[in-house]
Amino acid sequence: MLHWLINVLIGIKVGLCSCAPEVHRLGVQRVRAAYRVERIGRRLPAVVNESSGLARRTDTSVWTHNDGGGRPTLYAVSLTNPGTLVDSLALPQLQNVDWEDVARQDSSRIGDARLFIADLGNNVNNRRDLAIYIVDPKRIKAPETIRLRYADQTAFPPRQRNFDSEAVFYRSDSLFMLSKNRSGHMVRLYGVPARAGNYVPAPLDSVFIKSMVTGAAISPDAKTLAVITYGKVLFFDLPGDAATRLNRPTGCLRLPRGQAEAITFLTPTDLLVTNERGRMYRLTRR
């Protein structure tokens, strides 16, 4: 009953979500006319019952994984025969406490690039075991672990529950996380080195987004950051090599396609989105 009610409330959030708050407060441009949004395939494979993260695997396939409680496995899904399972990578050394996103080491590389699985889901904000796992798909090697806690979290749980991160991206040998924005409308940016260790990151920056952030991806040319929320995608320009600041978004695309929690770039302009009902959508720049 509770799960059903949560799904209904999220459905309402998605249906009511719009770009208007960012347009009016930040001057963001609506870019719906610039994209063709199309559903591809029927559904993700049955084994992927709650897709929560996406990363390019090859030019014709992507990695995805299930949300918290699912098997500790990455699934390779075809893009040429959308929804078909073409491979899987079991990681029995790990536990899927609450896997929320997966990022690839270099968005311009394919195949053997390292992957970073973000076990950062923290709905109640009381976790003390937050981790990002470093996985090399081409080597038989135990995953390494990045362990972290947020420098600005002093209570478990805190009064303001802003220490849940479901969006992670890689840039310049670092990993960057965006808070989900459960309290208020300021999304925080954190960063840690992309190597094993124990870290206590402090916020690097923040940005106004009036919706819960559920995923992020960086373009292959490292010039654009796409942030997906319940009901829309926000685009940020990333000039130079620095990713420690968030300028205001340059574009907003309303995307009422269910509880969408995963996004990745397929080309420098085109993206793939999945939702927790197993549907896939391609966003093609016109």
Side-chain angles (χ1 to χ4, degrees), residues 220-234:
D221 58 10
K223 294 181 179 179
T224 305
L225 172 67
V227 176
I228 192 167
T229 79
Y230 289 144
K232 59 192 172 188
V233 179
L234 292 158

Side-chain angles (χ1 to χ4, degrees), residues 13-30:
K13 281 181 177 289
V14 171
L16 295 177
C17 185
S18 77
C19 294
E22 289 78 18
V23 170
H24 295 153
R25 178 163 175 168
L26 303 177
V28 177
Q29 297 294 312
R30 290 183 173 92

